[in-house]
Amino acid sequence: MYSMKHNLRATLIMSLFLGTCLWLTEGCQSSKEKKENDSDSTVVAALDSLPAVTLTPAEGDAYTIETDVFSLPFPAQPHHQIDTLQLGDGIQAQSHAYLLDLGSQVFALIYIDYPGKPHPQQIIKEAKTGILSSFYDEPLIRKDSAFEWQGYPAVDLTAGSPKDGLFLHYRLLAVGPRLYQIAISNTDDFLDEEYVQDFFNGFQLKK
């Protein structure tokens, strides 16, 4: 089993996987042992291909992700990874992860298109459960606020554990069957709220 304390990128991906599994409870829990084994091999093994980025972003290093659907500025160029999650009963879902590892901090944008016609509030709720399951100890929840963002349901979630050495700042945004997770993780303490919101609010959906 990998160490979440020393692999924040794996923690961010695993929280996504756990949230997805909770949404498809029957498929993911058909075999507890299979879930434990496959979650590591399917998700974490794919992270081995991610290059470690250790840099201090300087003025002019900012990089903006631009797609036909959204844009988001990062402090520096993130790594883009596409994973196919095996959800059980032959059901698959594709996740896209943009990850920037700065050592003690990881910036991330992860999105997944859920199969079928999921209820937006439900996938947000279960993604939150998956995020909180990332901690070994009961985390301190500093913020858990629901709001609407451009007419879509969203939640800002801040949770951390000094013992785990993990402090997570998440924005969850459900746009139809797609869940966006915008996140910053830190090893030492909660980050300044203005710093976090500057990153979150850089995300824009294109009309």
Side-chain angles (χ1 to χ4, degrees):
M1 187 67 177
Y2 63 93
S3 169
M4 291 185 180
K5 182 173 182 179
H6 298 294
N7 197 334
L8 303 183
R9 293 177 297 167
T11 302
L12 289 166
I13 295 289
M14 185 56 69
S15 67
L16 170 71
F17 180 82
L18 291 171
T20 306
C21 279
L22 287 166
W23 178 69
L24 291 166
T25 304
E26 182 177 351
C28 286
Q29 293 185 346
S30 58
S31 167
K32 182 177 180 182
E33 181 178 356
K34 183 177 187 301
K35 174 185 172 184
E36 292 173 349
N37 293 335
D38 287 357
S39 64
D40 282 350
S41 61
T42 303
V43 182
V44 179
L47 287 168
D48 292 339
S49 63
L50 279 173
V53 180
T54 54
L55 54 86
T56 301
E59 186 176 355
D61 287 342
Y63 182 92
T64 299
I65 300 167
E66 289 277 359
T67 75
D68 292 339
V69 181
F70 65 85
S71 65
L72 176 64
F74 273 73
Q77 184 171 356
H79 179 85
H80 180 208
Q81 177 169 326
I82 303 173
D83 289 308
T84 298
L85 304 182
Q86 305 292 338
L87 305 179
D89 293 339
I91 300 174
Q92 296 181 339
Q94 193 174 77
S95 73
H96 288 254
Y98 295 87
L99 301 169
L100 174 62
D101 186 349
L102 300 180
S104 62
Q105 292 180 21
V106 177
F107 292 77
L109 168 63
I110 305 168
Y111 69 87
I112 181 171
D113 293 317
Y114 283 76
K117 296 181 179 180
H119 192 281
Q121 297 287 2
Q122 187 67 13
I123 60 177
I124 286 179
K125 177 182 177 181
E126 290 165 356
K128 282 171 53 179
T129 302
I131 292 165
L132 296 176
S133 298
S134 302
F135 295 92
Y136 290 122
D137 285 342
E138 187 73 21
L140 170 64
I141 299 176
R142 176 169 285 187
K143 185 177 184 180
D144 184 357
S145 61
F147 60 100
E148 278 200 358
W149 188 87
Q150 294 189 4
Y152 298 104
V155 165
D156 276 0
L157 176 66
T158 302
S161 166
K163 187 172 181 180
D164 287 340
L166 182 62
F167 298 87
L168 298 177
H169 301 260
Y170 264 84
R171 173 164 291 178
L172 305 173
L173 174 66
V175 181
R178 174 172 290 185
L179 177 69
Y180 291 98
Q181 299 190 59
I182 308 166
I184 309 177
S185 64
N186 192 45
T187 56
D188 301 324
D189 201 348
F190 291 109
L191 297 168
D192 180 76
E193 182 68 10
E194 184 177 354
Y195 177 79
V196 172
Q197 291 297 319
D198 280 347
F199 180 60
F200 287 176
N201 292 333
F203 180 80
Q204 294 295 321
L205 286 174
K206 298 181 179 179
K207 299 294 185 182

